[in-house]
Amino acid sequence: MQAKHPKESRTTLTDLVLPSETNPLNNLFGGELLARMDRAASIAARRHSRRIVVTASVNHVAFNKAVPLGSVVTVEAAVSRAFKSSMEIFIDVWVEDRESGNRSKANEAIYTFVAVDETGAPVAVPPLAPETELEKERYQAALRRKQLSLVLAGKMKPNEATELKALFEV
Ligand SMILES: CC(C)(COP(=O)(O)OP(=O)(O)OC[C@H]1O[C@@H](n2cnc3c(N)ncnc32)[C@H](O)[C@@H]1OP(=O)(O)O)[C@@H](O)C(=O)NCCC(=O)NCCS
């Protein structure tokens, strides 16, 4: 299968924060942001694989900045690495300043999607060829994150996680 570039899967969703999507502090409810990120990541995974895709795991979410009611929020997702049937998707969340229009990074997350056939069985996806420095950085670190996710899910023994050895060696 021919390799694809991250830009081929890049997906941008821009939407407002409405009153029904906020918490008691009038900031965006975390579950709503998770859903928006899942939607963008799912489209990115589908664009990369051109298959049915399912969320396998949410590996990392950082709610670093509250997002106030009325904000314009942009969720940007792209495949950061493809393995056999699974794809790591990196998601950046931006909030737009009403007056200046400048964007600032509010949150980020990393999801794993798996491409499946009509019966739900995993199928192969094209490899990823990163181009920019940031894409290369994210690509390099993705195997370590995959192994950590599998260890935490009880699907890989810690001693099989080749990329994590250095983490545990003092
Ligand atoms: C995701 C799913 C297809 C994986 O099926 P499985 O039987 O574990 O299949 P495999 O063990 O062959 O794993 C398939 C791939 O997923 C990866 N994977 C599975 N669990 C993972 C996890 N927790 N973290 C990271 N990767 C994971 C495997 O490493 C493998 O990757 P690779 O093929 O690129 O090497 C299956 O668990 C599933 O259908 N889950 C439900 C998905 C769903 O409904 N999501 C919506 C949630 S509401």
Side-chain angles (χ1 to χ4, degrees):
M1 250 185 281
Q2 197 174 349
K4 287 182 153 183
H5 300 299
K7 64 181 174 220
E8 294 176 75
S9 63
R10 182 151 300 120
T11 300
T12 306
L13 296 183
T14 300
D15 204 353
L16 280 171
V17 177
L18 297 174
S20 62
E21 297 158 346
T22 58
N23 63 22
L25 291 174
N26 274 338
N27 294 318
L28 180 60
F29 179 58
E32 169 62 25
L33 183 57
L34 288 173
R36 291 186 191 191
M37 294 193 294
D38 198 28
R39 229 170 269 142
S42 146
I43 296 169
R46 186 199 292 215
R47 284 179 171 162
H48 181 82
S49 63
R50 293 288 162 209
R51 305 297 301 231
I52 299 168
V53 295
V54 293
T55 317
S57 69
V58 178
N59 305 55
H60 166 79
V61 185
F63 293 119
N64 292 323
K65 262 174 79 174
V67 180
L69 174 65
S71 299
V72 172
V73 180
T74 297
V75 176
E76 260 179 16
V79 174
S80 42
R81 185 152 176 176
F83 297 94
K84 268 198 302 227
S85 65
S86 66
M87 293 156 279
E88 184 191 80
I89 320 290
F90 221 103
I91 302 149
D92 298 300
V93 179
W94 306 87
V95 175
E96 197 175 300
D97 182 75
R98 186 172 50 215
E99 289 176 8
S100 67
N102 292 338
R103 292 192 334 169
S104 59
K105 175 106 174 253
N107 297 302
E108 66 177 31
I110 302 169
Y111 283 50
T112 298
F113 276 74
V114 175
V116 295
D117 64 15
E118 283 67 17
T119 68
V123 290
V125 299
L128 187 84
E131 293 181 295
T132 67
E133 277 314 304
L134 181 61
E135 288 168 1
K136 286 176 188 165
E137 257 174 49
R138 290 178 171 181
Y139 181 97
Q140 283 301 329
L143 179 58
R144 190 171 68 234
R145 288 191 289 265
K146 177 181 168 74
Q147 292 188 348
L148 184 58
S149 177
L150 290 171
V151 169
L152 291 175
K155 293 181 174 180
M156 178 182 262
K157 295 194 180 101
N159 62 357
E160 292 167 355
T162 51
E163 293 293 306
L164 301 181
K165 282 197 177 122
L167 284 182
F168 298 119
E169 278 168 12
V170 187

